[in-house]
Amino acid sequence: ETGVTQTPRHLVMGMTNKKSLKCEQHLGHNAMYWYKQSAKKPLELMFVYSLEERVENNSVPSRFSPECPNSSHLFLHLHTLQPEDSALYLCASSQDVGRGGTDTQYFGPGTRLTVL
Amino acid sequence: DAKTTQPPSMDCAEGRAANLPCNHSTISGNEYVYWYRQIHSQGPQYIIHGLKNNETNEMASLIITEDRKSSTLILPHATLRDTAVYYCIVRLLYNQGGKLIFGQGTELSVKP
């Protein structure tokens, strides 16, 4: 398999549930990202990991908890979410972070999350 | 990062060239122009990027004006599958934190 994959593709959860989104990249990249895209809004960067270390956390509520066990895998753990957290969650990867042309980001297909 | 301005929507006939404009009048010398597109409910797809010179790849061509204040993405022979929202993004050469700031983009509709 090539590129960036995300599972599950669709997820429906209640506000008291705990779930995790998974992202895997098969490109040999060192950096991975989580984005959120709400309806009719631009993509919002949530987290950035470089060589498994978090380098950016854009004021995301603590009910979203990222985990990067190695440079190929990225998780987003979800707990006690709100209905307004319903959105398309996108994962991306890049060769590096902060080197302009070499850090072109490649996106996965996204997980469509619905919080009831 | 510099701000970009794109028309909200455009139509193009199938088989014709689609020319998508982008204004970035406040761009600085160390900022790249990137183009992505997003087909409905899918992840954004990288298309092309450039700094000063025009660029071409298997998907598209990027024409950057000499003063770098605007650019045009050209899809030479648009197909129905090119219907998507196209985003023009300007970002620093050494952008720390990997920020890609997506605006509203241009919704391109390719019609038969």
Side-chain angles (χ1 to χ4, degrees), chain B residues 39-92:
Chain B
I39 295 169
H40 181 62
S41 291
Q42 297 183 20
Q45 179 187 21
Y46 165 76
I47 302 173
I48 199 167
H49 73 278
L51 184 61
K52 296 179 184 177
N53 300 320
N54 298 337
E55 302 288 344
T56 295
N57 63 20
E58 64 278 5
M59 288 183 68
S61 294
L62 174 60
I63 308 299
I64 303 174
T65 57
E66 196 168 337
D67 64 7
R68 302 187 69 243
K69 292 183 184 300
S70 66
S71 60
T72 301
L73 178 75
I74 301 173
L75 308 178
H77 305 286
T79 71
L80 299 179
R81 285 184 290 184
D82 291 321
T83 293
V85 179
Y86 287 76
Y87 297 99
C88 170
I89 300 164
V90 172
R91 61 185 302 211
L92 287 169

Side-chain angles (χ1 to χ4, degrees), chain A residues 55-80:
Chain A
V55 297
E56 181 118 355
N57 175 355
N58 275 354
S59 303
V60 178
S62 59
R63 57 185 183 269
F64 296 93
S65 174
E67 178 191 1
C68 188
N70 55 63
S71 60
S72 298
H73 294 87
L74 184 65
F75 295 90
L76 188 63
H77 304 299
L78 316 171
H79 63 98
T80 58

